[in-house]
Amino acid sequence: MRLCKNCGSSDIDVDQSRGDAVCMGCGSVLEDNIIVSEVQFMESSGGGASQAVGQFVSRDDGGKNPTFGEGYYTGSGRESRAQTLANAKRNIQALGRGLQMNQHCLDTAYNFYKMALNKHLTCGRKSSHVLAACLYLVCRTEGTPHMLLDLSDLLQVNVYILGRTFLVLARELCINAPAIDPCLYIPRFAQLLEFGDKNREVTMTALRLVQRMKRDWMHTGRRPAGLCGAALLVAARMHDFRRTSKEIISVVKVCEATLRKRLTEFEDTPTSAMTCEEFMKADLDHDECDPPSFQNGLRNKKMKQLEVELEKKMDDVKDEIEDYQDEIDTELERCRPKLRGVYAAYTKEDAFHPKNQFKDSDSDDDDMDPEVDEELLAVAQHFGKELNELTMEALKKLEESPSAKGEEDDDQEGCRPSLESILGPMPTAASLGLKENMDCLGEENDGDADDGELDLNGIDDDEIECYLLDDGEVKIKTALWMAQNSDYLKEQKEKEARIAKEKELGIYKEKKQRKKGTRRAPIRASTGQEAIEKLLEQKRFSSKINYDVLKDLNIKPVSSPAEPQDGATETPRKPVIRNRRSTHMPLSLATPLTSLGKRLKPFITGQPAKRLALDQIFSGNPLAQSNEVPPSSVVVESGPVVESGPVLESGPVVYDDADEEEEDEDEPCVSAMDLMGSNDYGNDDEDGF
Amino acid sequence: MDSSNDEALDIIITNVVATFRTRCHLNLRTIALEGINVIYKPEVGKVLMKLRKPKITASIWSSGKIICTGATSEDDAKLGARRLARCLQKLGFRVRFSDFKVVNVLAVCSMPFAVHLVDFTNNNRPIASYEPELHPAATYRIKTLKATVQVFSTGSITVTGPNVQAVATAVEHIYPLLFEVQKPKHRKD
């Protein structure tokens, strides 16, 4: 029981109606204006029946915080969490109205959102995406005919992005959304297609069609909307409605090709052979078909087999044909007029180059280089002149001009291959060279030394050489690259110039480096206690506490209460601060809350009293945990104040006398010191007990 | 690798992704200008180099981190990576071949039967997920192996996992599940 501070008697009279706690021994008033949690009744205006006094306040909606006593400082505005929730609710309502969803669905969506918020799934995602995903989740669980496409239409967001968010949500919240049934969409689309009186019949027909399609395995892996479109088209035609595919597409939101494909697939099924009456009457009982993609696969396989067989036959025929070809060629040659003089040289050159390629491939690259170099140098010269036009055609033209001497036809024939042979031979030679080296790379052991030395086993140096360009080649490539990326390089130069100018003017701002989520170093500590303390040093829970001051408090961990408390509360606690003098306790309690002034108001309105009730024994820091506990606006009205003063004192709190004076520095934040009723807080005068 | 079945299932590895570090700073411009088969992307800040023999494509960053993709086996990937390092060495950088790690292996496999995806998803919630609006395959994630299997209605599956062994195990794991929901094939062609 409580003891009176003055006389030590345990006989204390608590009068709830007056709100007093008075010691019967010495008569001192221990408490005044006790906050009680009784329910009051009064007569209601209408019939005179009794009604309870009070407001219902929702746990999470926060909303209207009661301002008590002074109204000039009404807490720190609404808490962030409450605002987030209020925003979410508003947006869900707006979205839902656009989709014409009923209130029950919207409420469920709001609940999903709250769950997501608690699991921190909203971090890093656009809130609109998360809201849309919650809504879609509701649609799926309730079975409403809303498609993800509708939502993405409303939000103008890519469907797949929404889909990704939706999948993550569904997985994290462990909500199994039932698979979409195309039958769900039929009535909705039928409405939009305006079948008038016959709406119901067309819908029924379409439904039967879809069911048949399902049996025929047309629906696995396909967008349900596409199936619906095909079914509706056929159903409409069956009932003599002329709905063109364009109309269907605009309603169903698939493209024409998809619709056509579904219709073709449907055509393949035996159902399509039935007439309308047969279809309506017959029981859809006949055999199921294989899925269309499976059929396609089989068909492809068969085609391939046929091709193989054909090829074999072709080979036989080919030999014959080749014989004939050779004969014809020789004849033609004899008949063709022979080229004279210069032109002969060109034809020879033509024949020379391909042979050259093969010859060089057998030897090293070096042999080929001199020849290639000449041509490349020629190209490079031209490069020096004309850096602007660097297209293949330009190169070709450059090639052609020096060597054009005679008639164009022959020359072009002679020149073009040579150009290709420039750009050709290097890679081809390399590949052919590689082929040779492949043999010597038969067995390789990959024994890399762990210290990072590159094990050259099995790596042929010559082959690697192929990968590297030569000096001359480097120059050419540099020129090519510069020309190609001239835009980018210009931008870079401009940027540098700009930065230099700004530096001179002294207004250069370093480009903001986005901090990539500071990684915390792993905490090394020998005991749990130390670990927790270190963690607390790094991690900051509340913006309302000046942690530096708390840190300065001499940390004297007390073993016995600390251990069970540490074990019990998972959340880290501040260094155990113990109640140093009970004299101050009644002091704090006795002072009316209103007289505490600004500093403590935030704590009064913002504090989660429920948490306190739990932690009252452990105390620790209600302050430190404000982030993790859902805000409740019921601080003032709930919680037995007597045992756990909501804010002002929280059980065992200890601090050294020496460090008391330090709390003066902390300004906007309130330190625990102050709250614990330290002397400087203006209670000195009342220290008359 | 088959599991209690007559025919053996062919698991074909189509892609192996591996990373390694050269532990030295690389000048991308030099590589771009002096190497064959390189594409320099200055906006992104990397160089793509393609090797022909183990057919791989490597993304090279200036910090010295290199990602190799396109190999068809783990050994191939390692060989390709070493080739690449050797190539860079020849260009004049002091490269060391360290931290080679195969990051991802992608394989395809084909079941001899078609699969009923909706039943498959219903049997295996929540490990399996199927969204026909988004993707035609059902995704099955095996947490223990860190592997993902995508099942198509034709019966072909693609498996991605951290190494070849995991992929093989995943196929074995999923085979019985698919067998349950198979679509019996009939229908003469």
Side-chain angles (χ1 to χ4, degrees):
Chain A
M1 241 331 276
R2 288 186 49 200
L3 296 177
C4 169
K5 281 160 220 90
N6 294 327
C7 65
S9 104
S10 58
D11 188 7
I12 299 181
D13 172 37
V14 182
D15 189 352
Q16 297 285 359
S17 55
R18 272 202 223 110
D20 286 344
V22 181
C23 166
M24 297 312 268
C26 59
S28 54
V29 175
L30 302 173
E31 270 182 65
D32 197 356
N33 284 4
I34 301 176
I35 296 172
V36 296
S37 62
E38 285 184 349
V39 185
Q40 284 185 321
F41 290 90
M42 64 178 207
E43 279 188 16
S44 76
S45 48
S50 312
Q51 245 187 9
V53 170
Q55 286 179 325
F56 278 112
V57 187
S58 148
R59 198 185 115 222
D60 36 38
D61 271 358
K64 313 162 180 96
N65 289 335
T67 59
F68 77 115
E70 282 97 284
Y72 54 79
Y73 196 85
T74 55
S76 51
R78 292 214 319 239
E79 289 233 340
S80 151
R81 183 48 79 86
Q83 268 180 333
T84 319
L85 285 172
N87 271 343
K89 197 173 185 102
R90 204 179 341 120
N91 289 336
I92 288 181
Q93 298 280 356
L95 276 176
R97 227 163 278 137
L99 290 173
Q100 289 144 8
M101 291 169 64
N102 59 22
Q103 190 55 35
H104 167 70
C105 292
L106 296 179
D107 289 337
T108 321
Y110 182 57
N111 282 335
F112 283 154
Y113 184 79
K114 273 192 272 182
M115 281 160 62
L117 203 54
N118 286 337
K119 293 201 174 186
H120 307 293
L121 294 173
T122 44
C123 292
R125 298 199 169 90
K126 286 222 167 91
S127 65
S128 53
H129 294 350
V130 182
L131 289 170
C134 289
L135 267 174
Y136 186 59
L137 206 47
V138 171
C139 287
R140 283 288 284 273
T141 49
E142 301 282 324
T144 60
H146 291 105
M147 298 195 290
L148 198 55
L149 271 173
D150 303 329
L151 275 169
S152 80
D153 261 346
L154 267 182
L155 290 174
Q156 299 291 308
V157 168
N158 188 353
V159 182
Y160 295 107
I161 297 181
L162 277 185
R164 203 180 306 152
T165 319
F166 164 71
L167 283 174
V168 169
L169 263 180
R171 194 177 43 211
E172 295 298 320
L173 297 177
C174 302
I175 295 173
N176 294 331
I180 303 180
D181 197 359
C183 302
L184 284 177
Y185 292 146
I186 299 262
R188 176 185 155 186
F189 292 141
Q191 283 278 17
L192 290 169
L193 282 172
E194 292 171 14
F195 287 122
D197 292 335
K198 284 189 142 190
N199 197 338
R200 226 186 131 261
E201 291 163 19
V202 180
T203 313
M204 293 309 296
T205 322
L207 273 172
R208 278 178 75 97
L209 276 167
V210 170
Q211 279 164 8
R212 187 60 239 167
M213 285 179 187
K214 280 206 270 191
R215 298 271 289 279
D216 286 335
W217 283 76
M218 268 174 64
H219 81 296
T220 346
R222 269 82 191 275
R223 282 248 176 98
L227 275 183
C228 294
L232 275 171
L233 187 69
V234 175
R237 294 282 164 82
M238 277 166 70
H239 288 270
D240 299 325
F241 280 101
R242 305 221 112 241
R243 293 283 177 268
T244 61
S245 37
K246 282 220 179 70
E247 291 172 9
I248 302 251
I249 286 170
S250 61
V251 163
V252 166
K253 297 186 190 140
V254 290
C255 76
E256 176 124 19
T258 314
L259 195 61
R260 207 174 304 137
K261 220 171 160 213
R262 299 286 166 270
L263 288 172
T264 341
E265 286 166 8
F266 184 61
E267 203 182 334
D268 285 340
T269 67
T271 323
S272 58
M274 297 200 278
T275 67
C276 302
E277 286 87 22
E278 276 178 24
F279 179 70
M280 297 305 291
K281 290 187 197 138
D283 228 0
L284 308 169
D285 250 358
H286 66 82
D287 284 339
E288 305 176 349
C289 309
D290 286 328
S293 39
F294 193 73
Q295 291 177 21
N296 281 345
L298 288 176
R299 210 181 298 157
N300 285 344
K301 254 197 242 170
K302 262 197 357 188
M303 296 288 286
K304 278 204 188 129
Q305 276 181 344
L306 281 175
E307 270 181 41
V308 168
E309 285 173 32
L310 275 175
E311 281 214 18
K312 281 189 209 147
K313 288 191 195 156
M314 285 287 289
D315 286 337
D316 302 331
V317 183
K318 251 188 206 166
D319 297 330
E320 282 192 47
I321 296 181
E322 271 173 13
D323 293 337
Y324 287 133
Q325 262 190 346
D326 292 336
E327 286 191 26
I328 296 175
D329 280 340
T330 43
E331 280 296 318
L332 278 174
E333 292 239 352
R334 269 191 281 127
C335 305
R336 202 184 281 158
K338 288 246 169 30
L339 298 165
R340 300 176 300 272
V342 174
Y343 308 136
Y346 280 120
T347 50
K348 270 199 219 139
E349 197 183 281
D350 200 357
F352 183 59
H353 272 275
K355 279 194 207 141
N356 219 357
Q357 293 179 19
F358 291 119
K359 181 178 118 199
D360 286 337
S361 62
D362 292 340
S363 58
D364 270 338
D365 289 347
D366 301 328
D367 283 347
M368 199 179 71
D369 280 346
E371 194 193 74
V372 177
D373 268 351
E374 288 174 352
E375 293 168 341
L376 283 175
L377 278 173
V379 175
Q381 277 178 1
H382 286 281
F383 260 114
K385 292 179 193 169
E386 297 167 337
L387 261 177
N388 293 332
E389 322 159 18
L390 285 172
T391 59
M392 277 297 286
E393 287 84 53
L395 282 176
K396 280 189 187 166
K397 281 189 207 143
L398 293 171
E399 258 288 285
E400 278 172 45
S401 37
S403 46
K405 279 171 200 162
E407 287 182 10
E408 295 209 356
D409 305 303
D410 289 338
D411 289 339
Q412 281 178 6
E413 270 178 357
C415 294
R416 273 209 198 104
S418 69
L419 177 66
E420 274 135 27
S421 67
I422 296 173
L423 300 170
M426 283 179 352
T428 50
S431 61
L432 289 171
L434 282 174
K435 265 190 213 146
E436 279 202 332
N437 288 324
M438 260 207 284
D439 299 336
C440 57
L441 291 171
E443 314 74 44
E444 302 156 359
N445 44 342
D446 342 1
D448 273 353
D450 282 338
D451 59 352
E453 285 304 319
L454 183 59
D455 179 19
L456 293 178
N457 227 347
I459 296 181
D460 193 7
D461 269 3
D462 286 339
E463 176 209 330
I464 300 286
E465 294 276 340
C466 308
Y467 282 118
L468 303 176
L469 294 172
D470 204 4
D471 283 338
E473 296 158 6
V474 171
K475 282 190 213 139
I476 296 169
K477 185 152 185 193
T478 318
L480 261 174
W481 189 85
M482 291 293 177
Q484 198 176 19
N485 291 0
S486 54
D487 294 333
Y488 177 74
L489 291 170
K490 259 187 249 165
E491 276 175 39
Q492 294 293 84
K493 285 202 191 114
E494 283 170 18
K495 195 171 164 189
E496 277 173 34
R498 202 175 6 110
I499 291 174
K501 234 195 292 174
E502 282 180 356
K503 266 198 181 133
E504 286 172 30
L505 297 177
I507 55 176
Y508 177 54
K509 271 195 305 189
E510 286 290 333
K511 184 166 136 182
K512 249 195 269 181
Q513 291 284 348
R514 215 189 283 169
K515 270 196 212 153
K516 289 196 181 165
T518 44
R519 288 265 179 87
R520 299 205 187 101
I523 299 175
R524 296 186 198 290
S526 45
T527 68
Q529 190 82 21
E530 274 183 51
I532 289 178
E533 283 161 14
K534 285 196 188 162
L535 177 65
L536 284 174
E537 284 174 17
Q538 297 176 5
K539 204 169 177 190
R540 315 225 138 178
F541 284 115
S542 167
S543 58
K544 300 182 175 116
I545 302 178
N546 184 346
Y547 284 89
D548 296 326
V549 173
L550 276 173
K551 240 195 293 183
D552 290 335
L553 297 175
N554 211 340
I555 297 169
K556 248 201 243 165
V558 184
S559 41
S560 40
E563 257 77 88
Q565 288 172 26
D566 280 349
T569 53
E570 296 155 16
T571 52
R573 295 171 43 237
K574 267 307 194 174
V576 183
I577 318 175
R578 177 129 318 149
N579 200 355
R580 88 163 209 245
R581 213 43 26 144
S582 41
T583 44
H584 283 276
M585 267 168 46
L587 197 68
S588 330
L589 279 177
T591 52
L593 292 167
T594 53
S595 75
L596 289 173
K598 289 195 236 179
R599 299 280 286 288
L600 289 175
K601 283 285 173 148
F603 285 91
I604 298 173
T605 48
Q607 273 313 305
K610 283 186 191 164
R611 189 58 175 232
L612 282 172
L614 283 174
D615 291 353
Q616 85 184 186
I617 307 164
F618 311 141
S619 104
N621 260 337
L623 318 167
Q625 290 146 7
S626 54
N627 279 358
E628 314 217 5
V629 180
S632 76
S633 57
V634 207
V635 179
V636 178
E637 296 166 1
S638 80
V641 165
V642 180
E643 285 85 69
S644 72
V647 177
L648 310 177
E649 39 110 9
S650 38
V653 162
V654 72
Y655 35 77
D656 281 342
D657 296 348
D659 295 335
E660 263 184 60
E661 321 308 309
E662 291 186 26
E663 83 287 333
D664 283 342
E665 301 99 59
D666 44 300
E667 257 354 306
C669 314
V670 189
S671 71
M673 281 288 242
D674 291 343
L675 295 172
M676 300 313 154
S678 77
N679 20 3
D680 298 323
Y681 205 71
N683 289 338
D684 272 355
D685 304 332
E686 296 170 2
D687 200 315
F689 299 124
Chain B
M1 292 217 163
D2 48 291
S3 59
S4 69
N5 202 13
D6 305 319
E7 320 136 17
L9 279 177
D10 277 336
I11 305 182
I12 306 167
I13 301 180
T14 52
N15 190 19
V16 176
V17 179
T19 61
F20 70 97
R21 299 165 66 173
T22 59
R23 297 234 175 253
C24 81
H25 189 269
L26 301 171
N27 185 344
L28 294 185
R29 202 173 272 205
T30 324
I31 302 178
L33 297 178
E34 294 183 16
I36 301 187
N37 300 341
V38 288
I39 307 172
Y40 184 20
K41 298 197 171 200
E43 312 87 36
V44 189
K46 66 180 183 188
V47 164
L48 288 176
M49 185 164 191
K50 300 196 197 222
L51 251 57
R52 227 184 234 100
K53 229 210 35 186
K55 186 142 193 274
I56 58 179
T57 307
S59 305
I60 307 173
W61 273 268
S62 57
S63 61
K65 280 235 179 91
I66 303 187
I67 300 186
C68 292
T69 59
T72 47
S73 75
E74 289 187 353
D75 296 331
D76 240 6
K78 188 143 201 194
L79 173 64
R82 288 195 294 125
R83 283 257 170 87
L84 196 59
R86 179 78 184 122
C87 194
L88 291 175
Q89 224 172 34
K90 292 224 152 165
L91 278 175
F93 301 105
R94 287 181 47 218
V95 303
R96 299 167 72 73
F97 187 75
S98 78
D99 296 341
F100 176 82
K101 181 169 191 283
V102 168
V103 171
N104 191 23
V105 173
L106 170 73
V108 296
C109 180
S110 190
M111 304 283 145
F113 46 78
V115 175
H116 197 200
L117 289 182
V118 183
D119 286 347
F120 175 70
T121 323
N122 286 336
N123 291 349
N124 296 307
R125 295 249 179 90
I127 316 177
S129 93
Y130 172 46
E131 282 297 314
E133 285 197 11
L134 295 175
H135 190 58
T139 321
Y140 185 92
R141 288 177 207 272
I142 307 178
K143 265 195 164 167
T144 49
L145 297 169
K146 288 194 254 187
T148 306
V149 180
Q150 294 202 332
V151 184
F152 291 85
S153 62
T154 54
S156 6
I157 60 175
T158 80
V159 191
T160 63
N163 54 52
V164 179
Q165 189 53 45
V167 164
T169 321
V171 174
E172 292 210 4
H173 181 111
I174 206 169
Y175 184 88
L177 299 173
L178 295 178
F179 195 79
E180 286 173 11
V181 288
Q182 72 175 264
K183 162 101 199 46
K185 60 173 199 167
H186 40 81
R187 176 126 160 150
K188 285 100 40 198
D189 291 314

